[in-house]
Structure formats: structure tokens, C-alpha cells
Amino acid sequence: MKTAYLGIDVGSISTKAVLIDKKNKILARDYLWTEVDPIGTVKKLLYSLSDQLAKINEHHQDNPYQVQAVGTTGSARRLIGSITGASVIKNEITTHAIGTTSLYPEVRTIFEIGGQDSKIILIENGIVVDYAMNTLCAAGTGAFLSSLAQRLNEKVEDIGEIALTSDNPTRLAARCSVFAESDMVHKSQIGHSKKDIIAGICQSVVTNYMNNVAKGKRIIPPIIFQGGVSKNIGVTKAFERTTGHEIHVDPDSHLIGALGTAILAKNSKDPRPFDFRISEADFQTKGINCDKCANHCEVIAVYQDEKLIDAWGNKCDRGRVI
Amino acid sequence: MVIGIPRGFLYYKHETLWKGFFDALGITYLISPKTNQEILDRGNEFAIDEACLSSKVYLGHVHWLIEKCDKVFVPRISSYGMDGEVCTKFPALFDLVTNTFADQEIELIHYNMDFRNADAEAPGFVKLGKLLGKSRTKSLRAYLIAKQGEKTQQILEGNKVREAMEQNGLKILVTGHAYNLHDPYLGTPVFEMLKKLDTIPISAARVHDKEIHRASHQISQNIPWVFNRELVGTIAHYQRKIDGIILITAFPCGPDSLINELVLRRIKNPPVLQLILDGQEGTAGMETRLESFIDIIRFKKEGYYDKI
């Protein structure tokens, strides 16, 4: 029996999953929009991965792959980790650093812009030496791009290509998506073309990132750009203009977090064989408001086929469910 | 007569002094409970939107005390003399509370501290005693006893930090204003998370030490605010004994916004993480930041990257 490891990255906007073998090679991969239903999305992804694995195993019938451990990451890591019985539940920064260094040991700088988070990770000799993350709000992240794209009546997937057709990006206020939106409307009223405004939006994502997340950090090539926004060629080009260096985007750039957590699961000392049939089980979550003190904690309980399997959210023992 | 003490702001600095003074004079007092969601909600209602989180919490505590005591104790402190200035919030606090609760049944009691007008701590407490109908001698004696208690407390706090520094394990210095760090609703969850991550969180916010004041000069010689000077001093003083530094700030804090930037630019080793608290109810964002910060320090130390 050959071993495989599953990594699931449940982000605010999209959910990604990969299966890797012992040598960190990706055997199967897929990603879907999360659409505020992390459990349903993960189930769909598991169906897809289980099909892909079944096809691979047809060629290795005497020695099929078997998933030995699961790792989860992303903002719903706790929820999905408890459902899949994960060995490793890790934050996005760690998993991205691990995933990227496994693919590109020589990398020095990682730009990462996701749905609600953006971060910069600096690496020296394959070791993380510094990192920073956006602090308070989701300005300049995927959420910013998709809200402005919606306002412009364009698909967020298309705006990168449109941005490339402009030679004269419009300058936009970049600090806050609410201000940016009113600035954008104002600029269009005085006659800026749509493609220039779209290019301006891509540029403002980069300006915002450079001023808030990457401020004061030394940016040394090779630079890898990843996270959902890295699929936007307009933003990538704007990064190249601003930094003056080539920006590398991996074809699997959106899967790096999932890859990182799969590697962590592989190295964990707590292997727990995984059965894809879990995607047939019925999962329910229930929010319970604890009224035992003035904090009114919101406790979340997770049920598998009506049996309580995990709960969290209580600040003290009085609100304990499990 | 019952004096109400709001559990916020300088309570976390002068708890021993205040309680000691009232105890020595035989005056009963009532301290508002530990900050909880309800107190913060009340504070949000009464505070203006732009006020800092800590002052919202403070107003929540004052509100809780209304009708439960005869007088609410709100000192007016504008400087600590040679030690430095304080944020404008503190001299304004008395008037802020008076005006915020102008249409409610509330009576305040205070002491002043303003070295420029020769209002040092001792005369301030004597005047406070007078407001409470106590003689000058009695008040002064009460103050001296209480001050002794405060000094002892500070020495004990210093010993605690020194002991923690001797322990084996990943040591994380958590700095910030005492009223944020030690507030059970704001700062304490950070300490609990750090303990869960198997590290030793160390706070030196309640240590008052000449050495620490001097150490602050290594980072900057002219920080006007006394609390920030202490905070920078602890960083300079312990820098070599710790594995990481976490700066905790309540949004939006004027002095911190300047000083934290200074620390981030001038301290290269050990790594520094800045956390901004704004009454967020979800803890996921904070967990992510703390966990990754600790992971990276630990991976670097233990050479995890070789195993990938």
C-alpha cells in the first residue's frame, strides 16, 4: 500500500484540496467557490478527489494509494478539521511558507493576497525570517477586487485581462474599498474609461499592499506571488511595475496552502487514516448562545449524523458542551 | 459612604495604592466587575465612535457603578513629573465622565496630579482625604502606607518577571498598556492563547523600575509618554533574553501608533508582532496571527525546514 496525504484549505472565498504522495508530488487537486457553505463545498471536493484517486488506483491495483493523514488550513480550518478528523490544523501563514519552500527552495519573498487576508513572507536559506499580515480590515484583498468588479458589472476573473488593455491606469484612493468605490464612480463621471479604471483598481491593490503590508520590508527576488488574487494578471503586472522585478506565479499558486498543510500532515506524528466515505455523512452545526454570564458566548456545536462530535467558542468552562 | 472604583485604565497601575489608601482611612469601596461583553456594550453606547477601545471599556465600568455607590472615583492625572507625560485621555477623564453621564444620578470624587501646578501625588491624596472629611495627618499617613504597599507590589512584580525569564521554554514578551494587557476581556485571552501554544508569556507592564526607564534610552531618548517609555524600556532591557515580542494596542491609540512604529523599525531581533484590539468578537484572526508567529519562531529554532 502506498501512502497519500490530504490537504484542505478552506478560505473565505474559495476552497482548495490536494492529495500528495510521500515525495510531496501532487496526485490530485481541485478547487471550488466556498459560497458561505464550507461543509458542503468540502464534501463536493472530497467526491472529486476520491474519483481522481480511484482513477489513479486503477493503474496500481496491487498497490493502491491510501490516505494516511489529513491537514486543514484556512479560516474554516477548525470546523473542517473536526469533520475530517485531521491530524494537523494549521494557520495559513505557516502552511504557505511550508508549501512554497517545498516547491521553490530558493525563494526569498512571498506575496500572498487571498480573499480577506494579505501577507508578505520573507525567506532566507529556506527559513522564514520575517512576515507581516494585514491588520484590521480587508482593504486591498480579493474581497476588495470582487466588490469593485461587481460594481463595474464585470466578472472578477476577467478584470485582469481587461486591465492589460489599458496604457493609462486611473489613480484611485486605495486605502479603503468604500472610499475606492466612491472615488471610482467619481472618476467615471468625469470621463475615465472603464478599462483605465479597472487597471487603476489593480494598481491600487498593489499600492495598498506595498504601503500597508510590505512597508519597510526589503523585497529581494526571486518573488513568488500566490493566493487567489495571483490569478489576476493585471495585479501581477502592476506588482512587476512597482517592484521592478519579475514576479513568478505558479500554475498551482492557489493550492499552496493546501499543499503546505498536506506536508505538515505527512510529517505529523499522529497519522489517522482517512476514509472518503465521510462525504456521505450528514453534518450539522448549531450555534448555541450561552447565557450563563454576561459574556453571552456563541458556542458552535458540530454534529455528525446527529451525534455531537466537537464544540468550541466558549470563553470558560461554564459554556462547555463537550 | 461607598466609593465606586471603575476597573479600567489606571486601576491596573494603581490598584494597590488606591485600595491601600481607602483601607487605611476605613472607607468602604466597590470595584466594578471584570470587563465582560455587557460592560463593553454599555461603553460603546456612551462613548463617541472615535474614542479608543480602552476608554469605551472605562465608561462601561463607570456606568455599571451608577446607583450602586455614593461616589465614583475618577482621578485626574496629567503628568508624572520627571517620569513623563500621559495621554490626554487621563487629565480629561474626570470631565469626560461628568459630561457623558450629566443626566444621570452620579457624583464623582477625584484627586489631581499635575506637576506643573505643583500637584504632586502626596498633596493630591491629602486633598482627596479632605473631600472625604479626613484630617490632613490621617490622609497623609494613609497615603504613605498605601505608597509603601504599591512599592512592595512593584518589587514583587519585578521578581515575578525575573523568575519567568529564568524558565526554560519559548519566552514571549507581551507589551502594551497595563489596562489593555491585564483586562480580562481584552488582553488576557492573548496570554491564554500563548500558554495553550506552550510558550511562556511575560508581561512587564506593572514593573516600575529605574533600570527599565534608563534602558528606554537605547531605543529613543525623548519619548514623552511615561507608559510608552516603560514599554520601550522593557523591550530594550529584556531583548536578549526573549524569543519574541508582541505589541498589543487598543484601536485607536495615539501614543501607541507612534511608538509601535518606532519599535517595529528599530528592533530587528527578536521578531515583533503587532496586534490591534478593537472589540472583535471572533478570535480566529487573533489565533491565526499568534499561532503563525509562534510557529515561525519555533520552526527556526528547531530546524523544522530541513524535514520538508
Side-chain angles (χ1 to χ4, degrees):
Chain A
M1 183 190 69
K2 284 198 275 197
T3 54
Y5 305 89
L6 173 63
I8 309 173
D9 178 359
V10 197
S12 52
I13 306 286
S14 63
T15 300
K16 289 78 64 175
V18 295
L19 269 176
I20 61 165
D21 67 7
K22 235 172 18 197
K23 291 189 174 133
N24 302 344
K25 203 184 113 218
I26 298 181
L27 300 169
R29 72 199 81 195
D30 204 356
Y31 90 106
L32 285 170
W33 297 120
T34 310
E35 288 167 347
V36 213
D37 177 21
I39 297 178
T41 313
V42 166
K43 277 189 183 175
K44 279 186 223 155
L45 276 179
L46 288 179
Y47 275 123
S48 154
L49 287 191
S50 131
D51 285 351
Q52 292 182 45
L53 187 66
K55 272 191 201 120
I56 297 168
N57 279 341
E58 275 173 23
H59 305 290
H60 305 275
Q61 267 173 5
D62 45 331
N63 193 9
Y65 281 106
Q66 165 70 36
V67 178
Q68 281 305 318
V70 181
T72 61
T73 185
S75 35
R77 59 182 179 275
R78 174 86 207 253
L79 176 65
I80 302 307
S82 92
I83 285 174
T84 53
S87 308
V88 171
I89 299 174
K90 261 290 171 231
N91 63 80
E92 307 84 285
I93 296 177
T94 311
T95 54
H96 275 112
I98 301 269
T100 313
T101 45
S102 79
L103 292 173
Y104 302 96
E106 74 289 357
V107 63
R108 293 297 303 272
T109 309
I110 304 172
F111 293 161
E112 216 270 347
I113 307 186
Q116 284 187 345
D117 283 333
S118 50
K119 39 204 164 285
I120 182 166
I121 305 175
L122 304 180
I123 291 175
E124 231 177 276
N125 304 322
I127 291 170
V128 174
V129 287
D130 198 3
Y131 81 94
M133 197 168 175
N134 62 336
T135 44
L136 215 55
C137 69
T141 61
F144 170 85
L145 276 178
S146 48
S147 92
L148 293 190
Q150 202 177 13
R151 181 76 197 235
L152 287 162
N153 209 8
E154 293 287 348
K155 271 195 191 142
V156 68
E157 296 93 321
D158 301 336
I159 62 173
E161 292 293 337
I162 300 172
L164 288 188
T165 61
S166 157
D167 329 305
N168 186 25
T170 304
R171 280 162 165 274
L172 290 172
R175 185 79 179 106
C176 162
S177 61
V178 183
F179 286 153
E181 193 170 316
S182 57
D183 205 23
M184 180 182 90
V185 172
H186 184 71
K187 291 277 162 101
S188 69
Q189 309 288 44
I190 60 171
H192 287 262
S193 73
K194 197 169 176 179
K195 64 176 190 199
D196 288 347
I197 288 177
I198 289 177
I201 292 170
C202 294
Q203 181 63 49
S204 77
V205 168
V206 172
T207 312
N208 194 357
Y209 183 88
M210 286 301 175
N211 292 340
N212 294 315
V213 184
K215 70 174 168 197
K217 307 255 182 260
R218 270 185 72 199
I219 292 163
I220 305 169
I223 305 169
I224 310 257
F225 178 28
Q226 59 198 33
V229 176
S230 68
K231 297 282 163 198
N232 183 318
I233 181 86
V235 176
T236 311
K237 289 291 167 210
F239 263 127
E240 288 190 338
R241 270 200 304 276
T242 308
T243 59
H245 297 299
E246 193 193 336
I247 306 285
H248 192 89
V249 179
D250 191 272
D252 285 330
S253 66
H254 56 296
L255 299 173
I256 304 290
L259 172 65
T261 192
I263 294 173
L264 284 167
K266 182 190 82 179
N267 291 345
S268 85
K269 294 178 184 79
D270 175 28
R272 297 180 202 165
F274 175 75
D275 190 340
F276 278 101
R277 271 175 304 184
I278 200 121
S279 54
E280 283 152 28
D282 177 44
F283 289 101
Q284 294 290 335
T285 54
K286 210 163 94 184
I288 306 161
N289 264 321
C290 171
D291 290 325
K292 296 197 178 81
C293 79
N295 282 328
H296 302 301
C297 292
E298 208 168 77
V299 183
I300 300 291
V302 184
Y303 297 86
Q304 176 179 354
D305 297 322
E306 289 173 11
K307 206 179 109 234
L308 181 69
I309 56 167
D310 204 353
W312 57 83
N314 48 315
K315 287 195 171 73
C316 68
D317 264 359
R318 276 174 295 189
R320 211 161 68 181
V321 181
I322 191 162
Chain B
M1 185 168 62
V2 180
I3 302 280
I5 305 179
R7 194 188 287 266
F9 273 149
L10 296 181
Y11 171 81
Y12 289 100
K13 272 269 180 212
H14 295 312
E15 179 185 352
T16 322
L17 178 68
W18 295 351
K19 282 189 194 165
F21 182 74
F22 292 129
D23 281 338
L25 287 178
I27 289 169
T28 37
Y29 52 82
L30 170 70
I31 301 167
S32 57
K34 292 176 179 170
T35 312
N36 54 43
Q37 185 66 47
E38 226 163 87
I39 285 177
L40 180 58
D41 285 349
R42 283 297 91 69
N44 271 329
E45 249 169 61
F46 285 104
I48 53 163
D49 215 31
E50 287 82 9
C52 71
L53 183 66
S54 331
S55 70
K56 290 175 181 169
V57 167
Y58 189 84
L59 290 180
H61 281 282
V62 173
H63 179 267
W64 187 91
L65 287 166
I66 291 176
E67 287 178 13
K68 292 189 183 77
C69 61
D70 301 300
K71 282 181 176 166
V72 181
F73 178 60
V74 184
R76 191 194 268 138
I77 291 173
S78 78
S79 90
Y80 283 83
M82 290 289 282
D83 285 348
E85 308 274 313
V86 291
C87 168
T88 44
K89 275 271 144 58
F90 298 108
L93 205 55
F94 181 86
D95 299 293
L96 194 93
V97 172
T98 311
N99 287 313
T100 306
F101 299 103
D103 48 2
Q104 312 223 12
E105 292 287 316
I106 181 172
E107 220 179 298
L108 302 189
I109 190 164
H110 70 289
Y111 72 92
N112 285 348
M113 228 171 113
D114 179 4
F115 280 73
R116 261 172 303 185
N117 292 324
D119 264 338
E121 201 170 56
F125 273 89
V126 170
K127 279 186 199 164
L128 171 63
K130 210 171 156 190
L131 292 175
L132 296 164
K134 303 286 173 186
S135 76
R136 190 188 152 75
T137 354
K138 267 194 186 151
S139 302
L140 196 60
R141 190 179 152 269
Y143 167 73
L144 291 174
I145 293 171
K147 194 68 190 170
Q148 205 56 49
E150 187 176 65
K151 279 186 181 148
T152 315
Q153 180 65 29
Q154 280 163 355
I155 293 169
L156 290 178
E157 290 283 342
N159 289 346
K160 242 199 266 171
V161 173
R162 223 161 291 135
E163 266 169 37
M165 288 291 171
E166 299 302 319
Q167 282 177 43
N168 286 327
L170 217 57
K171 290 186 279 282
I172 307 294
L173 180 68
V174 188
T175 69
H177 294 293
Y179 51 81
N180 294 331
L181 289 194
H182 297 291
D183 188 297
Y185 200 72
L186 304 180
T188 310
V190 175
F191 286 85
E192 276 164 11
M193 271 182 225
L194 283 171
K195 277 185 205 147
K196 244 187 242 167
L197 291 166
D198 223 2
T199 65
I200 305 165
I202 299 172
S203 155
R206 284 198 277 211
V207 182
H208 184 82
D209 194 319
K210 284 267 174 304
E211 237 175 282
I212 285 174
H213 264 258
R214 267 198 299 276
S216 73
H217 289 241
Q218 293 168 24
I219 297 179
S220 170
Q221 298 203 334
N222 36 22
I223 297 170
W225 305 286
V226 51
F227 303 140
N228 288 88
R229 199 188 284 180
E230 283 175 357
L231 181 159
V232 165
T234 49
I235 292 175
H237 189 70
Y238 296 116
Q239 200 177 347
R240 276 171 200 87
K241 291 184 185 156
I242 48 179
D243 302 290
I245 301 167
I246 297 178
L247 306 173
I248 293 187
T249 273
F251 183 78
C253 178
D256 280 4
S257 65
L258 182 71
I259 300 304
N260 286 0
E261 193 60 39
L262 188 109
V263 171
L264 287 172
R265 286 181 192 204
R266 297 202 176 160
I267 298 291
K268 292 291 164 219
N269 204 27
V272 185
L273 172 74
Q274 180 174 216
L275 279 182
I276 300 178
L277 308 173
D278 192 18
Q280 299 99 325
E281 285 197 21
T283 51
M286 174 130 66
E287 267 167 28
T288 301
R289 281 159 181 82
L290 286 177
E291 196 188 288
S292 57
F293 184 66
I294 301 302
D295 274 353
I296 283 162
I297 294 175
R298 194 163 272 157
F299 285 178
K300 219 157 111 180
K301 254 192 150 172
E302 294 168 2
Y304 184 87
Y305 291 100
D306 309 337
K307 291 183 206 151
I308 296 168

